[in-house]
Amino acid sequence: MSPVLSLPLSGFRIAVTSNRRSEELIEALERRGAEVTHAPLLKLAPLDDEAVLVHQTKKLIELRPEFVVISTAYGLRRWFDSAEAAGLGHELCQCMKTAKLYVRGAKAHGAVRALGFHAAGVAKDGTTAGLLSLMANEVSGRSVAVQLHADSDHGLGLALRELGASRVLKVEPYRWLDTSSEQHLSTLVAGICAAHFDAITFTSAPSVHALFAAARSRNRAPALIRSLNERIAVATVGPVTAAPLQAAGVHAPLVPARHRMGAMILQLVEHLGELGTLSTPTVFGPCELRGRTLSLNGEHCELSPAQTEILRRLMEAGGSVVTRDELVAALPAVSSNHALDMTLSRLRRTLPHPELITTVIKRGYRINL
């Protein structure tokens, strides 16, 4: 096998949906051989206009809440950067020191400690539910400030009021720009529905919400969910990110035991290595399919999504005959026998050896073992 194809993700096409830290993720995937498409689903609004955040910070300093909820490490750092620039850093620190800090997740806890603060409680699972369970008997009649992550966190304020909090102050260190109308999202949605990718990565729940919003606005949500369930590996950085996928009907997103980007990458490598790679001996030598890259006795070629699905079905059958009806049913983009014939004809012309696929008259097709 060539040095390129010996890399663990060679042959696989992966969509990266994150904006922040995307360069780090893309570089890690490409270093392992993947072909990466970057399609950020959300973009952070610039900090040029700090008026809203400064106003919220002044309100917090005035209120002196008894509890402060920290949702994210990046949000906390961004909040303090803004406060320092506005000359409010010292006063904000004093408020944090006198309040009970409750933190959602290990990364946010690390940021709290880095700033010299002590957390009264940490939701180890990184979820809002875990955070609320820690605070259930604490906040009745008390004032609480909440550092929000994104729009999807707004239910946290209502939940705290239901626990009896007398006042909830929301602090939003960052806002997301609306990118739903941008062309790259149309391309991403279409690519997912057509299984142009072998895997897609998510590093935040808001990105998941943005994808489904983009799919719904284009009337592609059912097709997108079907493709994510049947044809594309879905990698997430943790359970908070996976939750909206599961709620939308994506059955088995990958969730690493350690909620870190590095762990997500390693889990994806293992998953694609086990389930995304097929190998079989043939009369023409060893045949390996990695994503949409076929290696046949050392010769390589790139296949279309439909061609890949046909070859995958034939290889999985292990030399047994796969009927025409079975192939048509397995290919959403192939709706007739004529379309199947055209796809098979193009596939054979693409293969290093067209005779790799044998026609069994009146029955179907099989791999030539």
Side-chain angles (χ1 to χ4, degrees), residues 154-233:
H154 285 195
L156 180 55
L158 176 60
L160 288 167
R161 290 190 188 94
E162 291 175 348
L163 291 178
S166 61
R167 183 171 180 178
V168 177
L169 173 66
K170 297 175 182 177
V171 179
E172 299 177 272
Y174 42 14
R175 295 171 293 108
W176 300 109
L177 294 174
D178 181 10
T179 62
S180 59
S181 63
E182 294 187 11
Q183 180 57 40
H184 77 276
L185 286 195
S186 294
T187 303
L188 176 64
V189 170
I192 293 171
C193 293
H196 285 169
F197 308 108
D198 301 294
I200 184 169
T201 66
F202 295 97
T203 58
S204 73
S207 290
V208 177
H209 292 298
L211 175 63
F212 284 112
R216 285 192 295 270
S217 71
R218 294 161 174 80
N219 298 316
R220 302 301 304 276
L224 182 136
I225 293 170
R226 182 170 61 250
S227 192
L228 292 178
N229 275 326
E230 297 177 1
R231 308 170 77 187
I232 297 177

Side-chain angles (χ1 to χ4, degrees), residues 241-316:
T241 304
L245 285 160
Q246 294 165 326
V250 178
H251 302 316
L254 300 175
V255 183
R258 294 182 67 252
H259 310 153
R260 296 288 189 276
M261 191 166 70
M264 177 185 74
I265 294 169
L266 293 176
Q267 186 181 39
L268 183 58
V269 168
E270 181 179 356
H271 178 85
L272 291 177
E274 290 180 355
L275 301 179
T277 302
L278 289 177
S279 300
T280 187
T282 73
V283 295
F284 302 105
C287 181
E288 182 179 71
L289 185 63
R290 297 169 62 85
R292 298 211 314 265
T293 300
L294 174 71
S295 172
L296 182 59
N297 199 31
E299 297 184 70
H300 314 303
C301 63
E302 300 296 313
L303 308 179
S304 72
Q307 292 169 354
T308 302
E309 194 63 29
I310 288 175
L311 195 57
R312 180 172 292 276
R313 295 290 172 143
L314 295 176
M315 291 177 70
E316 288 174 339

Side-chain angles (χ1 to χ4, degrees), residues 4-5 17 44 46 56-58 111-112 116 149 157 174 177 185 191 204 268-269 272 276 304 309 319 332 346:
V4 173
L5 283 181
T17 64
L44 283 175
Q56 292 170 339
T57 303
K58 288 179 177 178
V112 166
H149 178 207
Y174 42 14
L177 294 174
L185 286 195
S204 73
L268 183 58
V269 168
L272 291 177
S304 72
E309 194 63 29
R346 286 191 290 267

